Amino acid sequence: MPIVTTTEMFKKAYAGGYAVGAFNVNNMEIVQGITEAAGELKAPVILQVSKGARAYANHNYLVHLVRAAAENYPDIPIALHLDHGDSFELCKDCIDGGFTSVMIDASSKPYEENIALTRRVVEYAHDHGVVVEAELGTLAGVEDEVSVDADKAMYTHPEEVEDFATRTGCDSLAIAIGTSHGAYKFKPGTKPQLRFDVLEECSRRLPGFPIVLHGASSVPQQFVEQINQYGGNMPGAIGIPEEQLRQAATMAVCKINIDSDIRLAMTASIRKYFAEHPDHFDPRQYLKPARQAVKDMVAHKIVDVLGCDGKA
Ligand code: G3H
Ligand code: 13P
Ligand code: ZN
């Protein structure tokens, strides 16, 4: 199956009370690990590429890796999405260059500027058969080298969502309900709690409209412990409890973004591998278990958090 937009995926996810995983891809092993898991579990999947990923791996390489994955797994729908596009030009480049979905993230701009830029991207994207994710509210954490302190983060104002979605024409909306980018989402000792009341109020005002959660890695403690055991230093890395993500997936949330957990899975695996095989130097030897660690982590998310196994 050729790569697809997220339209059908989200319709089915909304109606079925589950969410589709959107996993960030930066190299071949990550694409393979994610799609092997999705393929075996018959799950729809979104592979997303950040501005940083394009700078690292090159647009063309990433598009061709994703197309190769779609050829290898013709039975599952795979979407190729731009994560956190920050300008019209970047979104246009990805629309022209084979992506099926783009995010324009103008959430740091004043409300009217966010609307104007999002509207411009939507018009171009829709003319080219591509769908658009927009964002309202500000998440804490680090994304594309921009860091937002927890006290500067702002929950989405539900009273704005209807006006925003109507005037921009966006196809899905990322909202801020307490998730956060990166591996250090909360201070140790604090109790993470998503604002389900904000999510509920947004979906009440936008019935049937797909909501997106960014910053949704759960930062599994077994990875953090393994990293620290084998020479790493990541004290106090904490993520979103998986039960809360599972609950969000049964509500209006149709897309859940996961990047940090991929990084942690690979890093934990590679650190352990080198500690146990100090004389090895063939990248295939240490990237093979790292790819398997990505696959296992993604399989767990698909079954236990997203609930999208068997939904392809
Ligand atoms: O939300 C940001 C994603 O985790 C992408 O991160 O810009 O380091 O590729 P990156
Ligand atoms: P995490 O840092 O929680 O994995 O979030 C990823 C993300 O939102 C990508 O856009
Ligand atoms: Zn994000």
Side-chain angles (χ1 to χ4, degrees):
M1 172 184 316
I3 53 173
V4 298
T5 73
T6 52
T7 308
E8 277 307 305
M9 288 184 192
F10 288 169
K11 240 185 240 162
K12 288 172 71 179
Y14 203 106
Y18 61 89
V20 179
F23 300 96
N24 286 69
V25 297
N26 289 278
N27 66 16
M28 183 185 75
E29 286 75 13
I30 295 175
V31 171
Q32 290 176 330
I34 296 164
T35 52
E36 276 177 28
E40 286 175 18
L41 290 165
K42 302 267 176 284
V45 72
I46 299 165
L47 301 181
Q48 56 186 14
V49 168
S50 69
K51 185 176 174 180
R54 275 175 104 240
Y56 170 74
N58 176 286
H59 176 100
N60 235 359
Y61 280 93
L62 291 167
V63 169
H64 284 277
L65 283 172
V66 172
R67 286 189 183 148
E71 278 177 29
N72 276 5
Y73 297 99
D75 299 336
I76 58 165
I78 299 178
L80 173 55
H81 173 76
L82 169 67
D83 189 29
H84 292 287
D86 61 354
S87 67
F88 175 80
E89 291 70 26
L90 173 55
C91 291
K92 180 178 182 301
D93 248 27
C94 291
I95 293 164
D96 294 345
F99 283 47
T100 56
S101 172
V102 294
M103 175 188 195
I104 176 67
D105 180 1
S107 60
S108 60
K109 298 187 189 300
Y111 184 69
E112 288 299 328
E113 279 180 47
N114 187 352
I115 289 191
L117 179 52
T118 302
R119 175 78 221 159
R120 191 171 168 222
V121 171
V122 166
E123 278 168 8
Y124 189 81
H126 286 182
D127 279 349
H128 294 78
V130 169
V131 292
V132 178
E133 173 186 323
E135 181 167 328
L136 257 185
T138 316
L139 268 71
V142 184
E143 83 196 35
D144 260 331
E145 290 153 21
V146 179
S147 174
V148 179
D149 291 341
D151 53 355
K152 301 237 169 48
M154 247 178 356
Y155 295 116
T156 302
H157 302 302
E159 60 278 13
E160 290 178 345
V161 296
E162 201 180 346
D163 178 65
F164 185 85
T166 311
R167 286 170 64 198
T168 60
C170 65
D171 302 280
S172 60
L173 183 65
I175 62 170
I177 59 166
T179 58
S180 163
H181 287 108
Y184 301 90
K185 300 187 190 299
F186 306 101
K187 293 211 166 66
T190 54
K191 201 168 164 285
Q193 181 56 58
L194 298 185
R195 288 284 305 271
F196 289 110
D197 57 323
V198 175
L199 171 58
E200 252 166 15
E201 187 54 21
C202 290
S203 53
R204 196 183 67 75
R205 289 167 183 263
L206 282 179
F209 198 82
I211 300 294
V212 178
L213 280 193
H214 281 249
S217 277
S218 54
V219 187
Q221 290 304 295
Q222 76 268 22
F223 296 149
V224 177
E225 282 158 20
Q226 191 168 316
I227 287 170
N228 290 337
Q229 180 186 348
Y230 292 105
N233 183 24
M234 296 189 68
I238 299 175
I240 314 288
E242 289 190 335
E243 318 79 67
Q244 293 185 29
L245 296 167
R246 181 76 203 100
Q247 189 180 336
T250 65
M251 300 166 72
V253 171
C254 293
K255 173 175 181 271
I256 291 188
N257 285 11
I258 295 166
D259 186 7
S260 298
D261 287 353
I262 295 173
R263 300 176 184 200
L264 291 164
M266 291 193 93
T267 302
S269 167
I270 291 169
R271 278 196 176 278
K272 180 168 189 280
Y273 188 89
F274 278 133
E276 291 173 351
H277 307 89
D279 55 326
H280 285 191
F281 64 98
D282 181 342
R284 294 172 299 186
Q285 290 176 316
Y286 56 85
L287 288 175
K288 192 173 172 188
R291 177 174 61 195
Q292 182 66 40
V294 172
K295 179 179 175 181
D296 294 345
M297 184 278 290
V298 170
H300 162 67
K301 299 283 180 187
I302 286 172
V303 174
D304 300 317
V305 178
L306 302 156
C308 64
D309 48 314
K311 309 293 188 189

